[in-house]
């Protein structure tokens, strides 16, 4: 039977594009397919940071690292969920992928100065950074008509948000307006756009033009081997035959039944593209894929915000939690975690259960802050001086605030008194907020490099509360894959012709998040390995049959 392609890649996030590039350069004819009408997936909405331990730019900057150190670090956070051979493959292949992309495509990486790992005090962790890379600004004019076909996310306003702006690569507290204007005029984009832009350019240069509006619904199999996929398109169903298929269809966070079936606790909001409905998981299950890590997601706290022109929008709350003059409380009006810890780990705090009451101890959770906080930082799209929006609760006193959010007033007052005492003494005795280099980096470093960047009293009326929701960047359970990114069968051994990468797979990182870029890095590294292996095996098979 004649093949349409040697390798097809389903999805157009960063992992997908890297797979396509590598498969092409290994000699394969590559087809690239996307369900949405725009390309880039959540990867294009992201901060575009990539966590590559022992990367070549660290060496250039004289920062020490080694594969062994990085594997030790990852395994220290395993809790029995991480396979060491996959972790080792990630850290050993990562630097080679960076070099390969820089030598063969317009993609360039630079160090994000002093960005610590997310658990930097763990053995093998880096407190002074080096492992997190980002791409410089990319001029979208280079993409021609494709510039308008890269998806842009809801938090991309070019203002003050860490790594979430298409105009990107900005300090957390804003960017010179003249520089912003310059970037806008030239359509120079950073963050996830700065990553997807050059990868897409490299695909187009190789004649790999994404087929948008192609939703993969089924894998084509021959004697148990995967040999293509069926797509739903506006022109009807299309069968595409290929020697191998690489699934890069994102997580299952947008599918209610999968969420209910698999996740370890509530997931109420999603930061990903709406097309990530678990299609890859469904297709892989039908051909007998072994599954892993199904309970996990890349958790992140979110709030609901009314964004002018967009309506209610789920908004990630990351540096905002770490700045002084804010805490989080549970329905009892008590703090329940180090608010400044990394977002993924906070998922665990949201999922704590009360065995007696049989409910979630810390849900609903509330972020509490004062007027001084609002004046310094604002919150999401709201700034001090503007009328308080309906999604934000305001009260003249702590007691009134407690009544409005339904927590015991005496307890909320006691919690805030205790917090203010910790701020005065310079140490959070309950949750050690600010002890980690992570917390201090994410805090307001304009105030200082110590705990003052994150500890600050809540003492200036009026007071505010906003409900925090357990959200996710995407889920990270799915088909188990081997060191080549090949999907494993439930009965053991790889499934001939089937590969997967990104949030569709059982994550190499288990439940943890190594550092900024911890999701895109495995997607890209295993995409790079899968592209190569899929191409080589498909071409070798073809040579045998010809
Ligand atoms: C605001 C924000 C900031 C972030 N910052 C970072 C960061 O700096 N670093 C980091 O590592 N991570 C970051 N993340 C997380 C990261 O973006 C995701 O984990 C990552 O992009 C997932 O990649 P993926 O390829 O698995 O999925 P995606 O990039 O979402 O790609 C999946 C693609 O598959 C397509 N698809 C789905 N089903 C089908 C189908 N049936 N047929 C065809 N196509 C299909 C989807 O439409 C989509 O385009 C961030 C996320 C957000 C929202």
């Amino acid at each position: 039977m004649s093949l349409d392609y040697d390798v097809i890649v389903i999805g157009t996030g960063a992992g997908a594009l890297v797979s396509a590039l590598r498969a092409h350069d290994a000699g394969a004819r590559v087809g690239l397919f996307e369900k949405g009408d725009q390309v880039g997936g959540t990867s294009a909405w992201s901060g575009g940071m990539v966590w590559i331990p022992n990367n070549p730019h660290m060496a250039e900057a004289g920062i020490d690292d080694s594969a062994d150190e990085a594997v030790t670090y990852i395994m220290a956070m395993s809790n029995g969920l991480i396979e060491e051979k996959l972790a080792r493959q990630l850290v050993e292949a990562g630097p080679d992928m960076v070099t390969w992309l820089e030598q063969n495509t317009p993609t360039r990486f630079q160090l994000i100065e002093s960005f610590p790992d997310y658990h930097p005090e763990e053995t093998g962790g880096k407190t002074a950074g080096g492992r997190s890379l980002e791409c410089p600004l990319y001029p979208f004019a280079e993409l021609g008509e494709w510039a308008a076909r890269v998806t842009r996310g809801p938090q991309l306003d070019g203002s003050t948000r860490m790594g979430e702006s298409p105009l990107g690569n900005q300090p957390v507290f804003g960017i010179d307006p003249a520089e912003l204007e310059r970037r806008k005029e030239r359509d120079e984009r950073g963050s996830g756009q700065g990553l997807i832009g050059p990868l897409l350019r490299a695909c187009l240069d190789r004649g790999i033009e994404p087929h948008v509006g192609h939703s993969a619904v089924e894998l084509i199999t021959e004697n148990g081997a995967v040999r293509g996929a069926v797509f739903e398109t506006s022109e009807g169903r299309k069968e595409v035959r290929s020697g191998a298929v690489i699934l890069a269809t994102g997580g299952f966070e947008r599918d209610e039944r999968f969420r209910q079936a698999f996740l370890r606790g509530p997931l109420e909001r999603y930061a990903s593209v709406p097309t990530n409905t678990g299609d890859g998981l469904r297709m892989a299950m039908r051909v007998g894929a072994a599954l892993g890590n199904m309970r996990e997601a890349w958790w992140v706290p979110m709030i609901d915000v009314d964004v002018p022109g967009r309506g209610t929008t789920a908004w990630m709350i990351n540096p905002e939690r770490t700045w002084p003059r804010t805490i989080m409380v549970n329905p009892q009006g008590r703090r329940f975690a180090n608010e400044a810890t990394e977002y993924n780990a906070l998922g665990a705090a949201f999922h704590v259960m009360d065995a007696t009451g049989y409910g979630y101890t810390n849900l609903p959770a509330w972020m509490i802050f004062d007027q001084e906080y609002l004046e310094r930082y604002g919150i999401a799209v709201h700034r001090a001086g503007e009328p308080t929006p309906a999604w934000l609760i305001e009260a003249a006193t702590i007691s009134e605030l407690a009544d409005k959010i339904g927590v015991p007033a005496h307890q909320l007052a006691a919690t805030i008194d205790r917090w203010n005492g910790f701020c005065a003494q310079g140490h959070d005795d309950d949750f050690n907020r600010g002890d980690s280099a992570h917390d201090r980096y994410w805090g307001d470093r304009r105030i200082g490099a110590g705990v003052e960047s994150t500890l600050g009293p809540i003492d200036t009326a009026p007071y505010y509360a906003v409900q925090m929701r357990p959200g996710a960047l995407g889920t990270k359970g799915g088909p188990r894959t081997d060191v080549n990114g090949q999907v494993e069968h439930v009965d053991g051994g790889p499934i001939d012709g089937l590969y997967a990468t990104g949030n569709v797979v059982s994550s190499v990182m288990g439940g943890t998040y190594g550092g900024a870029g911890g999701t895109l890095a495995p997607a890209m590294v295993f995409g790079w390995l899968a592209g190569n292996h899929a191409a080589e095996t498909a071409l070798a098979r073809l040579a045998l049959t010809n």
Side-chain angles (χ1 to χ4, degrees):
M1 178 157 321
S2 78
L3 297 177
D4 299 302
Y5 297 98
D6 300 311
V7 175
I8 62 172
V9 180
I10 307 181
T12 53
L17 300 185
V18 172
S19 316
L21 291 167
R22 181 74 160 157
H24 173 277
D25 286 19
R29 291 169 304 141
V30 177
L32 182 59
F33 295 87
E34 167 58 48
K35 176 178 178 175
D37 53 10
Q38 289 188 305
V39 298
T42 316
S43 306
W45 290 11
S46 76
M49 294 175 269
V50 186
W51 188 74
I52 307 284
N54 201 24
N55 67 67
H57 297 291
M58 292 177 87
E60 284 158 17
I63 304 170
D64 271 348
D65 201 2
S66 69
D68 284 345
E69 246 184 296
V71 172
T72 303
Y73 171 63
I74 294 172
M75 294 313 293
M77 300 181 293
S78 164
N79 290 321
L81 296 177
I82 298 180
E83 261 189 276
E84 185 162 344
K85 70 169 195 267
L86 293 182
R88 182 158 291 281
Q89 180 74 325
L90 172 73
V91 300
E92 287 184 349
D96 294 341
M97 180 206 66
V98 166
T99 304
W100 187 88
L101 283 175
E102 293 189 328
Q103 286 177 351
N104 294 285
T105 76
T107 317
R108 297 290 175 271
F109 295 98
Q110 60 198 25
L111 288 183
I112 309 176
E113 213 186 312
S114 23
F115 201 154
D117 286 341
Y118 278 2
H119 297 271
E121 288 81 18
E122 286 286 355
T123 318
K126 292 279 168 208
T127 51
R131 290 172 173 166
S132 296
L133 300 172
E134 65 180 349
C135 294
L137 297 171
Y138 184 74
F140 260 50
E142 297 286 326
L143 290 176
E145 60 171 283
W146 280 93
R149 299 170 78 182
V150 175
T151 179
R152 295 168 78 146
Q155 277 185 243
L156 302 179
D157 62 354
S159 60
T160 60
R161 315 194 53 88
M162 168 130 54
E164 290 164 13
S165 157
L167 301 168
N169 312 93
Q170 77 281 45
V172 186
F173 296 105
I175 194 163
D176 174 26
E179 168 61 9
L180 259 187
E181 207 40 52
R182 190 194 67 77
R183 292 179 186 183
K184 263 187 201 157
E185 263 168 30
R186 299 191 187 191
D187 201 8
E188 286 184 11
R189 305 188 203 168
S191 303
Q193 306 271 307
L195 172 65
I196 290 297
L199 291 175
L200 179 58
R201 181 66 264 163
C203 286
L204 298 171
D205 289 343
R206 286 162 171 80
I208 308 170
E209 184 137 333
H211 298 274
V212 296
H214 280 63
S215 176
V217 289
E218 213 175 307
L219 295 170
I220 299 171
T221 55
E222 286 169 15
N223 303 320
V226 173
R227 295 290 180 258
V230 179
F231 294 89
E232 275 174 2
T233 76
S234 56
E235 288 146 20
R237 280 165 83 90
K238 270 192 205 167
E239 281 191 8
V240 178
R241 306 246 158 204
S242 62
V245 172
I246 302 177
L247 296 172
T249 48
F252 60 79
E253 61 277 1
R254 300 280 185 166
D255 184 276
E256 191 183 346
R257 283 176 64 196
F258 281 161
R259 284 199 306 273
Q260 191 188 37
F262 297 124
L263 292 178
R264 67 170 189 212
L267 173 57
E268 296 177 1
R269 297 291 182 274
Y270 337 101
S272 61
V273 288
T275 36
N276 287 355
T277 51
D279 302 354
L281 170 61
R282 205 170 287 109
M283 289 186 276
M285 284 165 78
R286 282 197 210 110
V287 298
L291 303 182
N293 214 37
M294 298 308 293
R295 48 183 243 140
E296 285 298 339
W298 306 104
W299 309 102
V300 67
M302 302 187 85
I303 62 173
D304 284 343
V305 174
D306 283 329
V307 178
R310 268 189 188 271
T312 304
T313 302
W315 195 275
M316 285 165 37
I317 293 292
N318 287 328
E320 295 89 340
R321 284 176 286 108
T322 71
W323 295 331
R325 309 184 84 89
T326 180
I327 56 171
M328 292 193 310
V329 298
N330 65 15
Q332 293 80 48
R334 297 178 193 274
R335 290 179 69 215
F336 57 91
N338 167 9
E339 298 86 352
T341 202
E342 54 96 356
Y343 37 92
N344 176 66
L346 274 179
F350 288 135
H351 291 163
V352 169
M353 282 202 78
D354 166 17
T356 310
Y358 214 67
Y360 289 99
T361 310
N362 299 323
L363 295 177
W366 300 91
M367 178 180 171
I368 308 283
F369 54 92
D370 71 355
Q371 180 63 21
E372 175 67 26
Y373 177 101
L374 190 68
E375 280 171 21
R376 281 190 200 168
Y377 311 115
I379 180 81
V381 292
H382 176 61
R383 295 292 172 267
E386 297 168 358
T388 302
W391 52 267
L392 184 62
I393 295 164
E394 178 185 341
T397 62
I398 297 291
S399 153
E400 185 190 328
L401 191 71
D403 288 346
K404 284 188 171 175
I405 63 175
V407 309
H410 67 279
Q411 183 56 57
L412 185 62
T415 298
I416 290 176
D417 276 353
R418 189 168 169 81
W419 167 253
N420 290 350
F422 292 156
C423 297
Q425 74 175 18
H427 189 258
D428 168 16
D429 292 349
D430 285 343
F431 296 104
N432 301 317
R433 173 165 156 185
D435 283 11
S436 169
H438 168 276
D439 307 355
R440 298 191 297 271
Y441 180 89
W442 282 78
D444 184 348
R445 282 171 282 144
R446 298 170 305 179
I447 299 175
V451 289
E452 64 276 17
S453 68
T454 185
L455 301 187
I458 299 172
D459 59 10
T460 312
Y463 301 97
Y464 299 90
V466 60
Q467 188 176 347
M468 306 286 277
R469 312 271 182 174
L473 305 174
T475 54
K476 53 167 157 166
R480 289 169 54 90
T481 47
D482 65 14
V483 291
N484 300 311
Q486 192 163 3
V487 173
E488 292 176 349
H489 195 274
V490 68
D491 294 327
I495 298 179
D496 185 357
L498 187 60
Y499 297 77
T501 195
N503 290 351
V504 68
V505 300
S506 169
S507 176
V508 56
M509 297 304 289
T512 194
Y513 205 124
T519 88
L520 286 168
M524 291 167 66
V525 173
F526 284 98
W528 186 69
L529 293 161
N532 193 49
H533 199 264
E536 283 184 350
T537 35
L539 292 171
R541 195 181 321 110
L542 206 61
L544 277 179
T545 50
N546 283 340

